[in-house]
């Protein structure tokens, strides 16, 4: 009897010990889950996640700027000789008076007539609008710059989908693009050779290329064409906004209201993507931005996931409309768009909720903060940049285009 009682007691002890272990294990799991929940506590960026722009640009080692290159690049930028139909230039969609962007939702490139609000397609036209909103070229010399990291201009991310690196590579892409500058008369693989041949036949350009690239047997070529345009574009900078002055130590550069807006910008989570001196992480994000009505097809982006690059927030006063499709006309609309996202609203019917970027859906933009944030964004404007347009171009064609 004692043996049976002892055995039963041992069994109960083992069972009790097992229950205690399970309880401790569960308690440990609960503690771990609590720790994980604590790790998800919202982090708020600080002003240290932003930054002032450098006062000077960095040139690639293989393309140091010279006055001759810059002068040549300026002429090329405004000369429609670079387009298939000789009717559109780089400056047609990147206009100095609009911060080297354009106020149209999406641009009319080749086979168009007029400039600004008067630009339209020719009567006989089968070409589409340019696919995406014309981004500003101002400050693209700083694309990709980050706080405390070496900057390599040849690796600077370009375009809404990051399909090119560096201004030199970027300069040739519009010339090869059907609806931007190439047109239907030339094959994509032939157009750059055609442009080089045209320029070689113009004595004034031959002299300008020889001065910009001395010592080369035939300086008029595709590489030098891109280097000259890039050298000019690197002169288009506006690094002395009131925010830059504030970051460099002038505490009076911003008003108290603008400082409140800066704080609201940070608390709302805007700086999770709009960070660094250019206010961009230069990454692709899916936000469900509505498509432009200027194109029949929906623009799903380079990876077909509706992700597009975070744009800079500098000089926004001059670069409306906004987003890759140009569908948002004002900064208030942009901030209300983010408020809608945080509320679970998706404006593009092709984008599913699970595809939305969590950095956007977790933002906390409130209507009461919008005007203050806009006040802060206006401190990122600097109107002191080169807007000069040459009186004529070496081709003899109309400056900018028809």
């Amino acid at each position: 009897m004692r043996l049976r009682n002892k055995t039963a007691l041992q069994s109960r002890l083992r069972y009790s010990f097992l229950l205690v272990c399970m309880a401790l294990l569960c308690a440990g799991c609960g503690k771990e889950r609590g720790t994980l929940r604590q790790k998800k506590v919202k982090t708020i960026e600080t002003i240290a996640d932003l930054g002032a722009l450098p006062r000077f640009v960095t040139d690639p080692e293989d393309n140091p700027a010279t006055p001759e290159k810059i002068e040549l690049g300026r002429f090329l930028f405004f000369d429609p000789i670079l387009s298939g139909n000789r009717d559109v230039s780089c400056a047609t969609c990147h206009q100095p008076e609009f911060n080297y962007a354009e106020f149209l939702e999406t641009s009319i490139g080749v086979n168009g007539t007029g400039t600004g609000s008067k630009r339209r397609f020719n009567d006989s036209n089968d070409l589409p609008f340019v696919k995406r909103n014309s981004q500003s070229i101002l400050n693209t010399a700083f694309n990709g710059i980050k706080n405390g990291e070496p900057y390599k201009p040849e690796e600077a991310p370009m375009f809404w989908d990051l399909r090119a690196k560096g201004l030199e590579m970027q300069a040739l892409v519009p010339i090869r693009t059907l609806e931007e500058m190439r047109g239907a008369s030339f094959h994509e693989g032939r157009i750059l050779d055609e442009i080089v041949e045209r320029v070689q036949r113009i004595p004034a350009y031959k002299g300008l290329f020889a001065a910009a690239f001395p010592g080369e047997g035939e300086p008029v070529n595709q590489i030098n064409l891109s280097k000259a345009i890039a050298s000019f574009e690197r002169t288009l900078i506006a690094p002395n906004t009131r925010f830059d002055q504030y970051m460099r130590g002038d505490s009076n550069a911003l008003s108290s209201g603008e400082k409140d807006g800066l704080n609201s910008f940070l608390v709302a989570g805007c700086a999770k993507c709009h960070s660094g001196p250019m206010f961009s992480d230069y990454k692709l994000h899916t936000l469900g931005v509505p498509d432009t009505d200027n194109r029949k097809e929906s623009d799903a982006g380079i990876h077909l996931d509706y992700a597009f690059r975070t744009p800079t927030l500098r000089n926004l006063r001059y670069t409306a409309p906004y987003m890759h499709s140009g569908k948002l006309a004002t900064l208030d609309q942009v901030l209300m768009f983010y408020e809608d996202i945080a509320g679970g609203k998706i404006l593009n019917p092709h984008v599913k909720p699970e595809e939305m970027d969590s950095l956007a859906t977790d933002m906390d933009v409130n209507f009461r903060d919008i005007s203050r944030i806009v006040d802060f964004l206006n401190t990122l404007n600097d109107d002191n940049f080169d807007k000069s347009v040459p009186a004529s171009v070496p081709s003899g064609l109309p400056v900018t285009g028809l």
Side-chain angles (χ1 to χ4, degrees):
M1 179 65 72
R2 287 197 192 95
L3 182 60
R4 284 199 300 271
N5 289 341
K6 182 178 181 181
T7 302
L9 179 61
Q10 289 174 339
S11 295
R12 286 196 297 271
L13 288 173
R14 283 196 296 269
Y15 182 68
S16 298
F17 178 75
L18 180 62
L19 289 176
V20 170
C21 289
M22 291 178 65
L24 290 173
L25 181 61
C26 290
C29 290
K31 183 177 181 181
E32 182 176 338
R33 284 196 295 270
T35 302
L36 288 175
R37 282 195 294 269
Q38 290 176 359
K39 289 181 180 178
K40 292 182 179 179
V41 172
K42 179 181 177 181
T43 58
I44 298 177
E45 283 64 37
T46 70
I47 195 171
D49 293 292
L50 309 177
L53 280 179
R55 296 181 184 274
F56 305 100
V57 302
T58 300
D59 296 324
E61 292 184 2
D62 65 345
N63 190 26
T66 64
E68 292 79 11
K69 281 185 194 176
I70 294 169
E71 180 187 21
L72 170 59
R74 184 189 304 275
F75 282 132
L76 292 169
F77 187 87
F78 287 94
D79 199 332
I81 194 71
L82 300 191
S83 63
N85 293 354
R86 298 177 173 85
D87 60 353
V88 60
S89 70
C90 304
T92 302
C93 302
H94 300 283
Q95 302 167 19
E97 63 267 37
F98 292 104
N99 198 97
Y100 288 90
E102 187 176 23
F103 70 93
L104 298 179
E105 188 172 298
T106 59
S107 301
I108 295 174
V110 70
N111 205 35
T113 302
T115 59
S117 61
K118 297 181 179 179
R119 188 160 180 78
R120 57 178 176 78
F121 281 115
N122 293 326
D123 293 335
S124 57
N125 177 68
D126 57 359
L127 294 175
F129 281 83
V130 171
K131 192 172 186 177
R132 294 170 188 149
N133 178 258
S134 175
Q135 286 191 306
S136 172
I137 291 176
L138 196 72
N139 290 322
T140 48
F142 300 118
N143 272 14
I145 192 170
K146 296 181 179 180
N147 289 328
E149 296 184 17
Y151 177 63
K152 297 181 180 180
E154 63 275 11
E155 296 181 4
M158 297 290 165
F159 296 109
W160 282 107
D161 56 11
L162 308 179
R163 67 186 184 275
K165 290 184 177 181
L167 283 169
E168 284 76 9
M169 182 183 293
Q170 176 273 331
L172 299 181
V173 174
I175 299 174
R176 295 196 302 261
T177 303
L178 171 69
E179 67 272 28
E180 293 190 32
M181 297 181 72
R182 172 165 61 92
S185 300
F186 296 92
H187 187 272
E188 182 179 0
R190 168 63 185 155
I191 184 63
L192 286 174
D193 291 333
E194 164 67 20
I195 298 304
V196 168
E197 290 171 8
R198 291 180 188 175
V199 173
Q200 286 176 337
R201 292 194 293 266
I202 300 174
Y205 267 131
K206 288 183 70 69
L208 288 166
F209 269 88
F213 302 96
E216 298 189 17
E218 179 47 78
V220 184
N221 55 56
Q222 294 180 24
I223 293 177
N224 289 345
L225 184 80
S226 69
K227 286 183 175 182
I229 296 174
S231 293
F232 166 64
E233 290 179 339
R234 286 195 178 92
T235 68
L236 304 177
I237 61 172
N240 196 35
T241 67
R242 288 194 292 117
F243 174 77
D244 293 310
Q245 297 168 26
Y246 180 74
M247 292 296 289
R248 294 179 188 129
D250 183 358
S251 61
N252 296 319
L254 303 187
S255 69
S256 59
E258 291 164 346
K259 292 174 184 176
D260 289 340
L262 168 58
N263 183 65
S264 297
F265 177 88
L266 295 168
V267 171
C270 303
K272 293 185 185 302
C273 298
H274 293 284
S275 56
M278 279 290 280
F279 285 75
S280 174
D281 61 3
Y282 288 93
K283 295 179 180 178
L284 303 176
H285 299 279
T286 301
L287 304 178
V289 177
D291 287 311
T292 176
D293 296 325
N294 288 340
R295 303 271 296 211
K296 293 180 180 179
E297 74 280 8
S298 178
D299 185 0
I302 195 168
H303 299 305
L304 304 181
D305 58 359
Y306 289 87
F308 297 92
R309 193 199 83 189
T310 305
T312 181
L313 299 182
R314 288 181 171 273
N315 276 43
L316 293 177
R317 177 187 295 160
Y318 313 104
T319 59
Y322 306 107
M323 315 306 271
H324 74 275
S325 60
K327 286 298 291 182
L328 304 182
T330 67
L331 291 178
D332 288 70
Q333 288 182 12
V334 172
L335 290 166
M336 291 173 67
F337 167 80
Y338 282 108
E339 184 183 35
D340 287 342
I341 290 178
K345 187 176 181 180
I346 303 175
L347 298 185
N348 191 317
H350 301 283
V351 177
K352 300 176 182 178
E354 62 269 21
E355 295 173 326
M356 292 286 289
D357 196 303
S358 61
L359 290 177
T361 57
D362 290 344
M363 288 180 64
D364 186 22
V365 178
N366 295 307
F367 182 78
R368 65 179 181 273
D369 295 326
I370 287 178
S371 62
R372 285 183 289 189
I373 294 176
V374 171
D375 286 343
F376 163 65
L377 293 177
N378 282 327
T379 71
L380 298 173
N381 297 317
D382 178 6
D383 192 41
N384 187 28
F385 56 88
D386 182 10
K387 306 179 190 70
S388 60
V389 177
S392 62
V393 288
S395 69
L397 293 169
V399 176
T400 301
L402 301 179

